[in-house]
Structures are given as C-alpha cells and as structure tokens.
C-alpha cells in the first residue's frame, strides 16, 4: 500500500496540513492548483481558510492527484483545464497544453484583424482550439476555419467551442490544407509541431505526456513550418497574412522560408522572455513595416 501523503492518520487534513504534505512531494504552485481543483475554490480561499477540514473523499482525491503529479503528469491533464488568453480551455492528453507564449500569436493576429470587417481566418493544427476559439470570440464578425489531423483533438476543440459559446467557426479533420477547398483567407495562423525529433526536451517535463504529433517535426523541427509556408500563398487572399509560432532558434530560418515564398513585411516578434517566438509575413503588399511591437525585427523583403 502506498503511504498517503495527505492523511497519515485516520484524521483527514486541514488545508494547511494538506498543502504542507503536498509541498514535500511536488511544486507548491502545482499543489495549490490541484487543491483548488479538488475543493472547487479560488486561491484566496486557501489563503484565508487554512483551518478548513477536507472531507475524507477530498483528501483521497488530493492524495491521488499529488501522486500522479509526482510521477510527472501535467497539472493541466490532471485538472482537465488550462487558462489561455482570457478563456479557460478543456484539455486532454489528445491535445497540446496551451502555452503563454502562444498568446503572442493571438495578440498579433488580433492587431491584424479589424473588428468591424468579416475576415476569414484559418488556424492550422488547432489542438484544443485555443487560438481559433480565442480569435473567433474576439472577432465575432469574422469566421474561423480550424484544422487538425487528430479526430480526438477536434473532439476536444468542438467541446471547447460549445462550452465557450463560440459559433463563428468550423472544425475540419485533415492534414494541413488537404481537406480545404480553394477558398482564400485573410489570415492564416498556426502553432505547428516544431521541436526537432531527437531534441532531449521531448523526454523532459510535461512534453513527455503530450501528443508527439503536436510537438515534433522532421528537418530539425522545420518540416511542418516549411510545408505551411510553401503552401499558404495558394490559400491567402491579396494582402493576407501568415503568422507562425516557432522554436527559440528558428526565427531566422522561418523568415528565410517566408522570403523564399515571396512574402513581404516579414518580421519576428519576441515572447515575454525576449525570445523571437512568432514570425509572419504578408502576401502581395510592400509598403512600410507593420511591425508595432517594441523589439520586433524587420527583414527587408
Ligand atoms: N512550445 C512548445 C515547447 O517547446 C512546443 C509547441 C509546439 O511544438 N508547437 O514546449
């Protein structure tokens, strides 16, 4: 029998005792998030009610989650949710866990989509639908098509759209552009798999539990980025933009590929850690740079 980290005696713990026990085994922030999840309370409740007694069932549930987290399972898969931008998304191990750096892609996309025009947006490799649903929610006059190869991911994304009450979008199961008609989009966005196949990070942390198909790609991680950039011009309207998230060391390669595909106004923008994380370009348009984020780099087309 496994020693129970929360109830060592017959007496279930208080919030303070449960957290102290958990903190010996897992990161304190993770312990807090898991206890909030078990008790259905906000952080402030844990802070203001340290003497609150867990029920036996709650203590058992918390113990179970701590043990799973100690084995490495991501918090988001244990709680089944992850906040992204201003929404909370349901996640399962069929989808990548939304990351804060991807919010940069959403911010840039929102700068490019006028709120008062019915733009058409394509999200490639939508996963949980985090990017597509956030864009659709913030631009209700626009219409988003979200594609993923994995039917299980599409099921999660559809569920998120339903829960978040977003209807100006549709989901397509397919490989990148393969299932699309030749309709044109004003904006294409993607957070494709871009980690190199033998990158040791794939064997570390949360990445060990995430779907490899959403994480890694051949050609040093650039295979999908290369494919998307080469094919995107066939699906972009005049003056349309393509924005891609990429790895910490792929900005230059990404800009080079955009240049080869005749994009203009090519630039990269940094994430909050100062790492160039999203690159993009515009088709058939070459006036002044539209980069407006401080620290953005501009490459002449
Ligand atoms: N940003 C993720 C990571 O390196 C990878 C996501 C992706 O491949 N799109 O942890």
């Amino acid at each position: 029998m496994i020693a129970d980290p929360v109830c060592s005696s017959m007496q279930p713990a208080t919030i303070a005792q449960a957290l102290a026990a958990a903190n010996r085994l897992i990161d304190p922030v993770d312990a807090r998030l898991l206890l909030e999840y078990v008790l259905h309370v906000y952080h402030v409740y844990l802070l203001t009610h340290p003497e609150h007694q867990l029920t036996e069932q709650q203590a058992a549930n918390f113990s179970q989650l701590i043990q799973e987290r100690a084995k490495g399972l991501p918090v988001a898969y244990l709680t089944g949710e992850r906040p992204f931008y201003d929404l909370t998304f349901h996640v399962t191990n069929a989808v990548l866990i939304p990351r804060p750096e991807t919010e940069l892609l959403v911010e840039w996309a929102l700068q490019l989509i006028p709120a008062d025009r019915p733009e058409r947006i394509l999200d490639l490799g939508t996963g949980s639908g985090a990017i597509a649903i956030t864009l659709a929610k913030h631009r209700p006059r626009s219409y988003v098509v979200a594609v993923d190869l994995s039917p299980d991911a599409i099921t999660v994304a559809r569920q998120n759209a339903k829960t978040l009450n977003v209807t100006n979008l549709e989901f397509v199961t397919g490989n990148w552009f393969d299932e699309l008609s030749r309709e044109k989009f004003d904006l294409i966005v993607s957070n494709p798999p871009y980690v190199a196949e033998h990158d040791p990070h794939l064997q570390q942390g949360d990445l060990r539990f995430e779907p490899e198909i959403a994480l890694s790609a051949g050609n040093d991680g650039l295979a999908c980025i290369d494919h998307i950039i080469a094919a995107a011009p066939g699906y972009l309207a005049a003056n349309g933009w393509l924005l891609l998230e990429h790895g910490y060391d792929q900005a230059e390669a990404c800009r080079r590929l955009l240049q080869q595909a005749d994009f203009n106004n090519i630039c990269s923008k940094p994430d909050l850690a100062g790492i160039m994380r999203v690159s993009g370009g515009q088709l058939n348009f070459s006036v002044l740079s539209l980069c407006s984020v401080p620290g953005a780099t501009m490459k002449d087309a």
Side-chain angles (χ1 to χ4, degrees):
M1 189 181 145
I2 307 162
D4 190 321
V6 175
C7 305
S8 49
S9 66
M10 291 308 288
Q11 191 70 5
T14 63
I15 282 179
Q17 288 165 342
L19 285 176
N23 290 349
R24 286 195 286 275
L25 295 170
I26 63 171
D27 179 278
V29 175
D30 294 347
R32 160 169 84 70
L33 291 170
L34 293 173
L35 191 54
E36 285 168 26
Y37 169 72
V38 167
L39 300 182
H40 304 290
V41 296
Y42 290 112
H43 185 200
V44 67
Y45 188 89
L46 300 187
L47 294 173
T48 52
H49 297 77
E51 75 299 335
H52 173 112
Q53 194 94 29
L54 276 64
T55 65
E56 248 171 73
Q57 187 58 53
Q58 288 168 337
N61 292 349
F62 187 49
S63 280
Q64 174 77 27
L65 291 171
I66 294 166
Q67 287 171 36
E68 289 185 297
R69 180 63 190 137
K71 285 184 212 147
L73 264 94
V75 173
Y77 289 159
L78 293 173
T79 61
E81 60 181 35
R82 174 53 50 100
F84 176 80
Y85 208 75
D86 57 352
L87 301 170
T88 294
F89 288 85
H90 169 58
V91 292
T92 70
N93 62 4
V95 300
L96 197 74
I97 300 165
R99 314 274 208 270
E101 53 266 34
T102 306
E103 293 175 351
L104 167 68
L105 175 62
V106 168
E107 270 168 23
W108 191 356
L110 288 175
Q111 285 169 16
L112 295 172
I113 312 163
D116 58 350
R117 285 226 306 267
E119 304 276 290
R120 292 191 65 85
I121 303 162
L122 174 64
D123 175 27
L124 294 169
T126 198
S128 64
I131 298 171
I133 294 168
T134 306
L135 293 179
K137 183 101 180 171
H138 282 263
R139 292 293 181 267
R141 299 205 55 191
S142 291
Y143 191 80
V144 182
V145 177
V147 176
D148 205 287
L149 184 59
S150 155
D152 291 342
I154 292 287
T155 302
V156 173
R158 278 214 174 96
Q159 190 181 335
N160 276 319
K162 196 167 173 217
T163 310
L164 295 165
N165 207 13
V166 178
T167 52
N168 52 323
L169 82 179
E170 72 187 79
F171 294 101
V172 175
T173 308
N175 189 35
W176 305 125
F177 300 92
D178 291 0
E179 301 307 316
L180 301 175
S181 59
R182 275 273 153 180
E183 70 164 312
K184 305 279 185 181
F185 295 90
D186 302 295
L187 172 67
I188 300 176
V189 291
S190 182
N191 174 17
Y194 55 69
V195 182
E197 278 167 320
H198 301 294
D199 189 314
H201 289 105
L202 293 170
Q203 309 310 325
Q204 295 166 17
D206 288 0
L207 275 69
R208 290 170 295 165
F209 298 88
E210 293 181 290
E212 192 166 356
I213 190 182
L215 280 172
S216 77
N219 186 19
D220 283 339
L222 285 167
C224 298
I225 287 177
D226 192 357
H227 176 77
I228 292 170
I229 291 175
Y235 296 85
L236 276 172
N239 301 336
W241 280 83
L242 169 64
L243 304 183
L244 292 158
E245 179 174 321
H246 50 69
Y248 70 98
D249 56 354
Q250 293 170 336
E252 210 180 309
C254 213
R255 290 198 302 266
R256 197 181 54 245
L257 290 167
L258 285 163
Q259 212 167 359
Q260 283 166 7
D262 286 333
F263 279 87
N264 297 302
N265 292 321
I266 298 165
C267 65
S268 302
K269 295 189 182 191
D271 61 19
L272 291 173
I275 297 165
M276 289 302 165
R277 182 56 73 178
V278 183
S279 294
Q282 188 177 25
L283 209 61
N284 305 330
F285 192 73
S286 59
V287 285
L288 294 175
S289 163
L290 297 177
C291 289
S292 55
V293 168
T297 61
M298 175 69 190
K299 186 138 173 153
D300 291 332

